[in-house]
Amino acid sequence: MSVWRVIWRSLAVLLLALIAAVIAWAIRKDIARNYADAEIKRRGIPARYQITEIGLSRQRLEKISLGDPANPDLTADWAEVITATGFWGVSVKMVRAGGVRLKGRLVGGRATFGVIDKLLPPPSDEPFALPDFRVELSDARIRLDTPYGLVGARFDGGGNIATSLKGKLAAIMPEAVLDPKCRANGLSVYLDVSTASRRISAKGPVRAGGVNCAGVDVAFPQAQIDLVTDERFARIDSDIAAETKVVRTSGTSLRAARANGRLTYADGAFKGDGNASATGLSPDAKLIERVAGLARRADGTPLAPLGDSLVRAILGLKSGSNAQGRFSVEGTAKAGAIMLDGVAAQSASGAVFRFARQSSAKIIWPKGRYTIDGGVTLAGGGFPATAVRFDKGRGLSGVATIAPLSAGGTRLAMTPVRFSFANGAASIATTALYDGPLGGGQVRGLLLPVSVRGGALVGDCLNVGLNSYSIANLALAPIKTNVCLRGGQATAGPMTIAARLGGSPLSLAFKSARYGTGTGAFAADGLAVRLGDAKRLTVLDIAAIDGIYKNGVANGRFSGAAGQIGNVPLLLSEIGGDWAFAKQVLTVKGGLRVADAAKSPRYLPLVSNDVALRLADNKITATGTLTEPFTKTAISNVTITHDLTRSTGKAILDVPGLTFGQALQPERLTSITLGVIANVQGALTGRGEIDWTENGVTSTGGFRTDNLDFAAAFGPVTGLKGEITLLDLLGLTTPAGQSVTIGSINPGIAVIDGTIRYRLLPDLKLEIEGGRWPFAGGELILVPSILDLNQAAERRLTFRVQGLDAALFVQQMAFDNIAVTGKFDGLLPMVFDQTGGRVEGGSLTVRKGGGTLSYVGDVTNAELGRFSKLAFDALKSIRYKRLTLELNGALDGEMVTVVRFNGVNQLPLAQTKNFFLKQFNEIPFLFNITIKAPFRGLFSMVRSFNDPSVFIPRGLQALPPPPPPKPPVQTKESETVR
């Protein structure tokens, strides 16, 4: 083919094309509408629009609506497409639009826009690329529904999408729910957007009204971002400068926080790092009060000063703190973690908290778990210096080293504390060493292992110990024991504690002890107290004691106590009552029983129901009233003082007026008087003192009576008066020269106005120094002797009769029919024992010179016999030279009295015609008379001798009739000697 033909054909084709173009241009609107309608119809897209302009390079549509007319997927006020025609066809150079509104949804990680998806190229495996054409958009908006919440955006700007786009993008998200535990509200983004070399840049603020994730509550956070991404959004790099006004998390809040750093997003994951700071950081008020409340649980316990110190330190955190540190973050939209390191916080109270070098913390969301690697420190502001080292990779577990806490004389030191926190339960293990007040005293080196898991102690029993404990003047030696904890109660088994009280050794032992850790109630059984050395040991055994300790005050009851104070020979028993301990003062109110400690008790037990004891400043004072247990008679008021520092004390027994009578007799108080005196009437007053020191016990006393009557084995005693001074009150000993006066003693013969001097010796011995009574013109003298006052002992008294005037004696005894003269001397030995009193070998003998005896009573019996008549006639007037009375027998039974005397009758015998009887004038007589009668009735019997014919014949009944030549002058009971 020739060249011309080719050119011609080409021109013909071009001409035809031009003709077609001219024809098309003439009918361009119809072509455009028919083509658009056909294409839209082919794709099945409901559409409404108006073509307002069709040109070779520009097409304009208005009132565009695609999709459901009631809820279109896309609307636009207008749209223009600028095209270019080239050798290879028509290409789009620019798209311009205004008032665009696009709706879409995010499903399965992909965006869908309803019917608009039909206009988009089919999915392909080729990477996404930015369109290479220009756009100019005015007020273009998109609504995107996502699983996380609704997103609304607007874009204004233009330029080549791939290389030179510039515009402003605004987006809002009213509420974002990334996870049920992570929410945000009021999210907004205002960005300047640009592209270059198919890379997208955005810069501007991102804000939110509030964010709450995993318990972290952030108010008004905002960030200034400056990001760059590729056209596929596979990687996003951004510089961020963020701040927030208020943050609250886990009971902590801050006034403001700032952070700056870099964030990278790639393949659905993000990570970043930077620096952060916070001001006004403080624990929440509720948290502070909750933690302070835990510290306040120490109120009323020995740890109260430490608790108060910690409360002040915790409350000091309310003043706020400033903090700074470095952070890094990584994760996805559903889960992630924030790592912190280089954290340091300074409180206005002076507290400083910081991470140790190469230490970090991780907060993982949405589970809200915390892990810390490395360690942290805390010091200042009232907090003890604390260093915590966490176990790597084991969550919140590690070891805390805490400096000793000191406050108000209280000190608590702990060995490194092993702790862990997992699954909502905490566990700690340490050994605490406590110095400070305890139960009103001071303890040093109280060692207590502590192991707690989930709020409960691990193991039932602990080995505890202490170096020393002192209260008042009591000091305990080191102790180690086993304490078991069950059901809120601490128990200890049998235990013996060595101690010192003042300068004296002390031993405390108990069978078992219990303490309620929650209630403060405690009890002990079988408590045994031993005070002093073996030579002056004070003993106290308490069967049971209980009480409750609360707010520094302890009180309770005790029972079944018994003991003895040092060498004081008194046994205390049946002790019981109430006790209280507050402000280092012990008070006891109750009762006790007091008994003599001697093998042969000198006193019978007394009781007191009003004992009041007080222990303060190392001194014991006690008062009470001792009463006789059966009659309830008050015997003595008692006041006791004891100085623990010197181991000295005193007991004062005040007897204001002890009255003996029908209600009370001495044998209720002492067995010494049993069988000696009875039916005592009268009053006794006095005072006794018992003193004890380290060297021993002394006791003194003085008692007085002004009128005491009683019955004794030797007869009734009246008007006893005197005062006794005791050198040893408990031992019943006196100095020499004690004396009493006696109004009368009447063993059958009244003896009045006498005086007895005596002395009490150890071992219940009575030394009679002497006694005198005026008696019938002479004296009755009690011979010195020593009596054993033990109940079973035999007691001997000897009375000497000196210068008894027989005439006065007969006159005092009112013997009307007898007249006797002469002076008598003699002895009356008496023996007293459990069977009563008796006279053994008593005798009265007339002094040299003798005397006379005359019986002038009437003889009323008719027939006396010749010899009886002879005897009675002789008794009418006899001068005797020797007269002896021999007495033997019981004072309260039969007394045998032998009367022996001799003499001559001084008057002629009665007139008689009998020559034989007349021969007996002026002849000597010898009388032997034996009288058997009760001693106390003997003299009354003699006083009734108005008619002795009843008695003398009894003495003569055994006489045989006289023989005619020389009748005998002797019978069984009487003898006459010529």
Side-chain angles (χ1 to χ4, degrees), residues 639-669:
T639 301
I640 298 175
T641 59
H642 183 75
D643 189 337
L644 296 174
T645 60
R646 297 183 297 170
S647 298
T648 61
K650 176 188 290 288
I652 298 176
L653 295 87
D654 184 19
V655 182
L658 177 60
T659 301
F660 294 106
Q662 185 175 0
L664 179 68
Q665 286 295 299
E667 57 263 29
R668 289 287 189 185
L669 306 180

mmCIF file of all heavy atoms in Angstrom, residues 639-669:
data_model
loop_
_atom_site.group_PDB
_atom_site.id
_atom_site.type_symbol
_atom_site.label_atom_id
_atom_site.label_comp_id
_atom_site.label_asym_id
_atom_site.label_seq_id
_atom_site.Cartn_x
_atom_site.Cartn_y
_atom_site.Cartn_z
ATOM 1 N N THR A 639 -4.257 -3.591 158.180
ATOM 2 C CA THR A 639 -3.662 -2.736 157.146
ATOM 3 C C THR A 639 -2.280 -3.283 156.833
ATOM 4 O O THR A 639 -1.451 -3.451 157.733
ATOM 5 C CB THR A 639 -3.550 -1.281 157.613
ATOM 6 O OG1 THR A 639 -4.860 -0.794 157.943
ATOM 7 C CG2 THR A 639 -2.953 -0.401 156.522
ATOM 8 N N ILE A 640 -2.029 -3.565 155.565
ATOM 9 C CA ILE A 640 -0.758 -4.163 155.142
ATOM 10 C C ILE A 640 -0.093 -3.243 154.135
ATOM 11 O O ILE A 640 -0.746 -2.745 153.208
ATOM 12 C CB ILE A 640 -0.980 -5.554 154.517
ATOM 13 C CG1 ILE A 640 -1.588 -6.511 155.554
ATOM 14 C CG2 ILE A 640 0.332 -6.127 153.976
ATOM 15 C CD1 ILE A 640 -1.950 -7.867 154.974
ATOM 16 N N THR A 641 1.196 -3.011 154.283
ATOM 17 C CA THR A 641 1.998 -2.297 153.290
ATOM 18 C C THR A 641 3.230 -3.143 152.985
ATOM 19 O O THR A 641 3.770 -3.819 153.866
ATOM 20 C CB THR A 641 2.435 -0.916 153.796
ATOM 21 O OG1 THR A 641 3.204 -1.077 154.998
ATOM 22 C CG2 THR A 641 1.231 -0.031 154.077
ATOM 23 N N HIS A 642 3.658 -3.121 151.706
ATOM 24 C CA HIS A 642 4.837 -3.896 151.305
ATOM 25 C C HIS A 642 5.569 -3.132 150.207
ATOM 26 O O HIS A 642 4.967 -2.726 149.211
ATOM 27 C CB HIS A 642 4.436 -5.281 150.798
ATOM 28 C CG HIS A 642 5.600 -6.141 150.437
ATOM 29 N ND1 HIS A 642 6.393 -6.742 151.386
ATOM 30 C CD2 HIS A 642 6.121 -6.491 149.239
ATOM 31 C CE1 HIS A 642 7.340 -7.430 150.792
ATOM 32 N NE2 HIS A 642 7.210 -7.295 149.473
ATOM 33 N N ASP A 643 6.868 -2.921 150.422
ATOM 34 C CA ASP A 643 7.716 -2.238 149.451
ATOM 35 C C ASP A 643 8.475 -3.284 148.654
ATOM 36 O O ASP A 643 9.338 -3.986 149.184
ATOM 37 C CB ASP A 643 8.682 -1.294 150.182
ATOM 38 C CG ASP A 643 9.442 -0.393 149.214
ATOM 39 O OD1 ASP A 643 9.570 -0.770 148.035
ATOM 40 O OD2 ASP A 643 9.894 0.680 149.643
ATOM 41 N N LEU A 644 8.128 -3.387 147.351
ATOM 42 C CA LEU A 644 8.754 -4.416 146.527
ATOM 43 C C LEU A 644 10.220 -4.125 146.257
ATOM 44 O O LEU A 644 11.007 -5.048 146.021
ATOM 45 C CB LEU A 644 7.996 -4.537 145.203
ATOM 46 C CG LEU A 644 6.540 -5.004 145.312
ATOM 47 C CD1 LEU A 644 5.868 -4.935 143.962
ATOM 48 C CD2 LEU A 644 6.479 -6.416 145.863
ATOM 49 N N THR A 645 10.594 -2.847 146.258
ATOM 50 C CA THR A 645 11.978 -2.516 145.945
ATOM 51 C C THR A 645 12.915 -2.960 147.051
ATOM 52 O O THR A 645 14.077 -3.267 146.802
ATOM 53 C CB THR A 645 12.115 -1.010 145.719
ATOM 54 O OG1 THR A 645 11.714 -0.307 146.905
ATOM 55 C CG2 THR A 645 11.257 -0.556 144.556
ATOM 56 N N ARG A 646 12.444 -2.989 148.281
ATOM 57 C CA ARG A 646 13.293 -3.362 149.412
ATOM 58 C C ARG A 646 12.883 -4.668 150.067
ATOM 59 O O ARG A 646 13.506 -5.096 151.037
ATOM 60 C CB ARG A 646 13.272 -2.249 150.456
ATOM 61 C CG ARG A 646 13.834 -0.921 149.954
ATOM 62 C CD ARG A 646 13.858 0.119 151.044
ATOM 63 N NE ARG A 646 12.506 0.430 151.526
ATOM 64 C CZ ARG A 646 12.243 1.159 152.604
ATOM 65 N NH1 ARG A 646 13.243 1.636 153.319
ATOM 66 N NH2 ARG A 646 10.997 1.395 152.958
ATOM 67 N N SER A 647 11.803 -5.278 149.563
ATOM 68 C CA SER A 647 11.286 -6.525 150.140
ATOM 69 C C SER A 647 10.971 -6.365 151.620
ATOM 70 O O SER A 647 11.256 -7.240 152.438
ATOM 71 C CB SER A 647 12.283 -7.673 149.927
ATOM 72 O OG SER A 647 12.460 -7.909 148.557
ATOM 73 N N THR A 648 10.426 -5.229 151.978
ATOM 74 C CA THR A 648 10.043 -4.963 153.366
ATOM 75 C C THR A 648 8.558 -4.669 153.417
ATOM 76 O O THR A 648 7.965 -4.195 152.448
ATOM 77 C CB THR A 648 10.818 -3.765 153.941
ATOM 78 O OG1 THR A 648 10.512 -2.590 153.164
ATOM 79 C CG2 THR A 648 12.311 -4.013 153.893
ATOM 80 N N GLY A 649 7.976 -4.945 154.585
ATOM 81 C CA GLY A 649 6.551 -4.681 154.716
ATOM 82 C C GLY A 649 6.111 -4.667 156.159
ATOM 83 O O GLY A 649 6.877 -4.981 157.077
ATOM 84 N N LYS A 650 4.856 -4.306 156.342
ATOM 85 C CA LYS A 650 4.299 -4.195 157.688
ATOM 86 C C LYS A 650 2.820 -4.530 157.621
ATOM 87 O O LYS A 650 2.115 -4.177 156.653
ATOM 88 C CB LYS A 650 4.478 -2.777 158.231
ATOM 89 C CG LYS A 650 3.843 -2.540 159.607
ATOM 90 C CD LYS A 650 3.879 -1.077 159.991
ATOM 91 C CE LYS A 650 5.276 -0.614 160.285
ATOM 92 N NZ LYS A 650 5.787 -1.145 161.561
ATOM 93 N N ALA A 651 2.350 -5.242 158.651
ATOM 94 C CA ALA A 651 0.924 -5.504 158.824
ATOM 95 C C ALA A 651 0.507 -4.989 160.192
ATOM 96 O O ALA A 651 1.149 -5.306 161.200
ATOM 97 C CB ALA A 651 0.617 -6.987 158.685
ATOM 98 N N ILE A 652 -0.524 -4.172 160.225
ATOM 99 C CA ILE A 652 -1.040 -3.617 161.478
ATOM 100 C C ILE A 652 -2.399 -4.241 161.736
ATOM 101 O O ILE A 652 -3.295 -4.187 160.884
ATOM 102 C CB ILE A 652 -1.150 -2.087 161.401
ATOM 103 C CG1 ILE A 652 0.233 -1.466 161.173
ATOM 104 C CG2 ILE A 652 -1.798 -1.541 162.664
ATOM 105 C CD1 ILE A 652 0.191 0.037 160.984
ATOM 106 N N LEU A 653 -2.515 -4.856 162.921
ATOM 107 C CA LEU A 653 -3.781 -5.453 163.336
ATOM 108 C C LEU A 653 -4.365 -4.616 164.458
ATOM 109 O O LEU A 653 -3.795 -4.543 165.564
ATOM 110 C CB LEU A 653 -3.576 -6.898 163.806
ATOM 111 C CG LEU A 653 -3.103 -7.893 162.740
ATOM 112 C CD1 LEU A 653 -1.583 -7.894 162.643
ATOM 113 C CD2 LEU A 653 -3.616 -9.297 163.049
ATOM 114 N N ASP A 654 -5.461 -3.977 164.183
ATOM 115 C CA ASP A 654 -6.106 -3.084 165.148
ATOM 116 C C ASP A 654 -7.355 -3.774 165.694
ATOM 117 O O ASP A 654 -8.271 -4.114 164.935
ATOM 118 C CB ASP A 654 -6.467 -1.769 164.459
ATOM 119 C CG ASP A 654 -7.047 -0.762 165.434
ATOM 120 O OD1 ASP A 654 -6.851 -0.932 166.640
ATOM 121 O OD2 ASP A 654 -7.735 0.179 164.976
ATOM 122 N N VAL A 655 -7.352 -3.987 167.017
ATOM 123 C CA VAL A 655 -8.502 -4.601 167.686
ATOM 124 C C VAL A 655 -9.177 -3.504 168.510
ATOM 125 O O VAL A 655 -8.795 -3.242 169.656
ATOM 126 C CB VAL A 655 -8.058 -5.773 168.581
ATOM 127 C CG1 VAL A 655 -9.273 -6.430 169.234
ATOM 128 C CG2 VAL A 655 -7.277 -6.798 167.777
ATOM 129 N N PRO A 656 -10.177 -2.837 167.946
ATOM 130 C CA PRO A 656 -10.774 -1.698 168.661
ATOM 131 C C PRO A 656 -11.615 -2.118 169.858
ATOM 132 O O PRO A 656 -11.778 -1.364 170.802
ATOM 133 C CB PRO A 656 -11.639 -1.032 167.588
ATOM 134 C CG PRO A 656 -11.949 -2.118 166.621
ATOM 135 C CD PRO A 656 -10.773 -3.026 166.627
ATOM 136 N N GLY A 657 -12.162 -3.294 169.833
ATOM 137 C CA GLY A 657 -12.980 -3.746 170.954
ATOM 138 C C GLY A 657 -13.548 -5.117 170.660
ATOM 139 O O GLY A 657 -14.564 -5.240 169.964
ATOM 140 N N LEU A 658 -12.887 -6.140 171.169
ATOM 141 C CA LEU A 658 -13.323 -7.517 170.952
ATOM 142 C C LEU A 658 -14.038 -7.982 172.213
ATOM 143 O O LEU A 658 -13.431 -8.068 173.286
ATOM 144 C CB LEU A 658 -12.122 -8.399 170.650
ATOM 145 C CG LEU A 658 -12.402 -9.887 170.459
ATOM 146 C CD1 LEU A 658 -13.354 -10.109 169.304
ATOM 147 C CD2 LEU A 658 -11.091 -10.635 170.233
ATOM 148 N N THR A 659 -15.319 -8.257 172.083
ATOM 149 C CA THR A 659 -16.140 -8.600 173.236
ATOM 150 C C THR A 659 -16.419 -10.087 173.249
ATOM 151 O O THR A 659 -16.903 -10.650 172.251
ATOM 152 C CB THR A 659 -17.467 -7.818 173.208
ATOM 153 O OG1 THR A 659 -17.181 -6.426 173.214
ATOM 154 C CG2 THR A 659 -18.319 -8.168 174.418
ATOM 155 N N PHE A 660 -16.095 -10.717 174.389
ATOM 156 C CA PHE A 660 -16.396 -12.128 174.565
ATOM 157 C C PHE A 660 -17.700 -12.252 175.335
ATOM 158 O O PHE A 660 -17.987 -11.478 176.259
ATOM 159 C CB PHE A 660 -15.274 -12.830 175.337
ATOM 160 C CG PHE A 660 -13.977 -12.877 174.588
ATOM 161 C CD1 PHE A 660 -12.909 -12.062 174.945
ATOM 162 C CD2 PHE A 660 -13.833 -13.733 173.519
ATOM 163 C CE1 PHE A 660 -11.733 -12.104 174.247
ATOM 164 C CE2 PHE A 660 -12.641 -13.790 172.817
ATOM 165 C CZ PHE A 660 -11.592 -12.968 173.177
ATOM 166 N N GLY A 661 -18.476 -13.222 174.945
ATOM 167 C CA GLY A 661 -19.767 -13.456 175.600
ATOM 168 C C GLY A 661 -20.387 -14.699 175.026
ATOM 169 O O GLY A 661 -19.707 -15.619 174.556
ATOM 170 N N GLN A 662 -21.700 -14.693 175.046
ATOM 171 C CA GLN A 662 -22.412 -15.868 174.563
ATOM 172 C C GLN A 662 -22.136 -16.125 173.082
ATOM 173 O O GLN A 662 -22.053 -17.269 172.639
ATOM 174 C CB GLN A 662 -23.915 -15.681 174.799
ATOM 175 C CG GLN A 662 -24.733 -16.908 174.426
ATOM 176 C CD GLN A 662 -26.205 -16.731 174.774
ATOM 177 O OE1 GLN A 662 -26.600 -15.684 175.287
ATOM 178 N NE2 GLN A 662 -27.011 -17.745 174.500
ATOM 179 N N ALA A 663 -21.978 -15.033 172.282
ATOM 180 C CA ALA A 663 -21.770 -15.191 170.838
ATOM 181 C C ALA A 663 -20.363 -15.643 170.503
ATOM 182 O O ALA A 663 -20.149 -16.346 169.511
ATOM 183 C CB ALA A 663 -22.079 -13.882 170.109
ATOM 184 N N LEU A 664 -19.399 -15.241 171.284
ATOM 185 C CA LEU A 664 -18.004 -15.529 170.949
ATOM 186 C C LEU A 664 -17.230 -15.887 172.205
ATOM 187 O O LEU A 664 -17.280 -15.159 173.203
ATOM 188 C CB LEU A 664 -17.351 -14.314 170.278
ATOM 189 C CG LEU A 664 -15.872 -14.485 169.899
ATOM 190 C CD1 LEU A 664 -15.733 -15.495 168.773
ATOM 191 C CD2 LEU A 664 -15.281 -13.139 169.489
ATOM 192 N N GLN A 665 -16.515 -17.005 172.130
ATOM 193 C CA GLN A 665 -15.640 -17.439 173.196
ATOM 194 C C GLN A 665 -14.224 -17.599 172.645
ATOM 195 O O GLN A 665 -14.018 -17.794 171.444
ATOM 196 C CB GLN A 665 -16.128 -18.762 173.775
ATOM 197 C CG GLN A 665 -17.366 -18.637 174.643
ATOM 198 C CD GLN A 665 -17.113 -17.830 175.902
ATOM 199 O OE1 GLN A 665 -16.285 -18.194 176.750
ATOM 200 N NE2 GLN A 665 -17.820 -16.717 176.030
ATOM 201 N N PRO A 666 -13.192 -17.500 173.497
ATOM 202 C CA PRO A 666 -11.808 -17.553 173.022
ATOM 203 C C PRO A 666 -11.471 -18.812 172.246
ATOM 204 O O PRO A 666 -10.612 -18.790 171.351
ATOM 205 C CB PRO A 666 -10.985 -17.459 174.314
ATOM 206 C CG PRO A 666 -11.874 -16.744 175.269
ATOM 207 C CD PRO A 666 -13.260 -17.192 174.943
ATOM 208 N N GLU A 667 -12.143 -19.944 172.548
ATOM 209 C CA GLU A 667 -11.807 -21.160 171.825
ATOM 210 C C GLU A 667 -12.171 -21.085 170.342
ATOM 211 O O GLU A 667 -11.748 -21.923 169.544
ATOM 212 C CB GLU A 667 -12.484 -22.389 172.455
ATOM 213 C CG GLU A 667 -13.986 -22.297 172.540
ATOM 214 C CD GLU A 667 -14.429 -21.824 173.928
ATOM 215 O OE1 GLU A 667 -13.664 -21.083 174.586
ATOM 216 O OE2 GLU A 667 -15.527 -22.222 174.343
ATOM 217 N N ARG A 668 -12.973 -20.072 169.949
ATOM 218 C CA ARG A 668 -13.217 -19.830 168.528
ATOM 219 C C ARG A 668 -11.995 -19.202 167.857
ATOM 220 O O ARG A 668 -11.880 -19.235 166.634
ATOM 221 C CB ARG A 668 -14.410 -18.893 168.357
ATOM 222 C CG ARG A 668 -15.749 -19.498 168.697
ATOM 223 C CD ARG A 668 -16.183 -20.486 167.647
ATOM 224 N NE ARG A 668 -17.553 -20.924 167.840
ATOM 225 C CZ ARG A 668 -18.155 -21.852 167.128
ATOM 226 N NH1 ARG A 668 -17.470 -22.475 166.171
ATOM 227 N NH2 ARG A 668 -19.398 -22.188 167.356
ATOM 228 N N LEU A 669 -11.099 -18.636 168.643
ATOM 229 C CA LEU A 669 -9.920 -17.947 168.119
ATOM 230 C C LEU A 669 -8.643 -18.739 168.330
ATOM 231 O O LEU A 669 -7.718 -18.639 167.527
ATOM 232 C CB LEU A 669 -9.784 -16.561 168.768
ATOM 233 C CG LEU A 669 -11.010 -15.647 168.678
ATOM 234 C CD1 LEU A 669 -10.727 -14.325 169.372
ATOM 235 C CD2 LEU A 669 -11.419 -15.429 167.232
#
